[in-house]
Amino acid sequence: MSTLVFLEHHGSSIQKGSLGVLSKAVSLDPDTSAVLIGSGVAPLAEQAGRYGAKQVFVADSESLEAPLPQPRVDVISRLVADKGFGNVLFAASVLGTDIAGGVSARLDAGLNWDLNDLAMDGGALVGKRSALGDTIRADVGWSSEPRLGLIRAGSFDPVESGGSASVEEISADLEDFSTKAVMVDQAHEEQTGPSIEDAEILVTGGRGLGSPEAFSLMEDLASALGGAVASTRAVVDSGWYPYPTQVGQTGKVVSPKLYIGCGVSGAIQHKVGMQTSQVIVSINKDPNAPIFDFSDLGVVGDLQTIVPKLTELVKERRGS
Amino acid sequence: MKIAVCVKEVPDPGPNRRIDPGTLRMDRSGDRSLNAYDLNAVEEGIRLRDAAGDGEVVLVSLGASKALDSIRKGLAMGADRAVLVSDEAAVGSDLVATSYVLAKALEAESPDLVLFGQQASDADGAVLWAAVADRLKMPVISQISELEVADGSITAKRQTEFGYDRIRTSLPAVLAVADSLNEPRYPSLKGIMGAKKKPQDVKSLADVGVDAARAGEAGSRTTVISLSPPESRGGNQKIEDDGNAAQQILDFLVERKLV
């Protein structure tokens, strides 16, 4: 058996999530390689070696500069077909998810997603995931090779093992349709204020707030509790609150002592950014909101009336 | 402009969802509805069709024949017709099989645009569009929060872990939209009444040119080995506000020394 891990990079560093998946793969299969795809990425191969990759394949071309999925599907699919890897693993991200889906179709290879652990059972890879809003855990497998796995963000920590990898350059032959989507303007890291990652108490406003003005309710409650205000992708996309406050897959991963979600539905993209919070309280009008499945206290009701009352009660309590 | 919107019937969210311990598949016998995230894709399809002034919105789905009950909501919102691939041999299809069947059904429609919602609420999957795009050999853009169509090309704004990208592509293309892109309309009474009369084709695998060996469990490459209860997250109390919820939350926080 042999394993390939896709290493996503941003600027001049490999993403921590990808290195975590690499470390886990190496612990299960010593015959683990990695692949780096981009423009000017060759120098990153050394880093991959330090995290245990035996061999690093590098596709380095200007045509691969923009972080778009389809050219990467071309490169990885050809590499996997040529070398016959048994397992191909990706850290979940916007890019990694789209690549994994494409490779699955290209190679007719089974893909299990949202995995939060991997194990070997008699030489066969087994994926672990939870389902139905974490109300059940499933062990999942594959009926043919290659086995594709998409790993939930933050599942594995990178572990340096101090090795060095041999490097092999591979070509970037791209399909016509893979180059039709072009990057017009690539995301840059935005300036951040005080980080929500450091706050012990987070009051999070979601789309259920109904309007950007309602964030003042979040700010009042956060200030009464001595915490900070966080948000969801839906409200950031809508321009209601700034991106640096966003919790979730494409935002920050937080684990405060107390998380209070107001009008937050608990979509999987948000959940992966806050599920390790110590105590989760949620207020939502919709009794079926998924967030109730993983809240310690769920309140079905109107946040517009509950939150101001709660703010007053907290102030009274702390004043006394 | 011809727009295909891929939609899925899912079990209603909430505590009644379960996986059948015998088949290890989702139990789809209870209350069901259209995947809520698909409504944003239907809404965008309708808006794009109306802005273009011509064309149609076709809902394309794979599921049980009774799934038409849920899919009709998209017709009530304003989609023109629905194509449902329904076949006993397709039950239990994983990503490899589902993307193949859907791609075959979509090929028969030759759409200019194929739209998806941001995820399926039952399986938490967000991988189908990329697989379908690869099979259709079309460009794909996902997580779209803003969309502009002009002169046969699409420019989309989308969020990644690093902020916002702007990506352009020619048509035809596959697009997956975020739930922040729009606010799906509620169907009007007239729309609901009219939906029943709109064309709703139920096709077999053979009708869309799919060999049964490439669908269902035979065409799938992943398996569920076993199920187990989750590690408990402790409390999991749920209360309804009877006017006293703020006090109850405060008591809960005080008890845990969080205030």
Side-chain angles (χ1 to χ4, degrees), chain B residues 61-66 84-88 90 202-205:
Chain B
S61 188
L62 169 64
S65 57
K66 60 192 179 194
L84 170 67
V85 182
S86 189
D87 201 309
E88 267 307 304
V202 179
K203 295 185 172 187
S204 68
L205 289 174

Side-chain angles (χ1 to χ4, degrees), chain B residues 155-172:
Chain B
T155 306
K157 183 180 168 189
R158 64 92 163 258
Q159 196 189 84
T160 73
E161 292 79 1
F162 312 106
Y164 287 93
D165 287 338
R166 220 168 256 285
I167 301 172
R168 185 181 301 132
T169 182
S170 57
L171 300 181

Side-chain angles (χ1 to χ4, degrees), chain A residues 41 61 69 112 121 182 209 211 269-270 280:
Chain A
V41 290
S61 161
N112 282 307
D121 183 14
V182 293
L209 289 185
S211 72
Q269 291 91 342
H270 185 71
I280 297 173

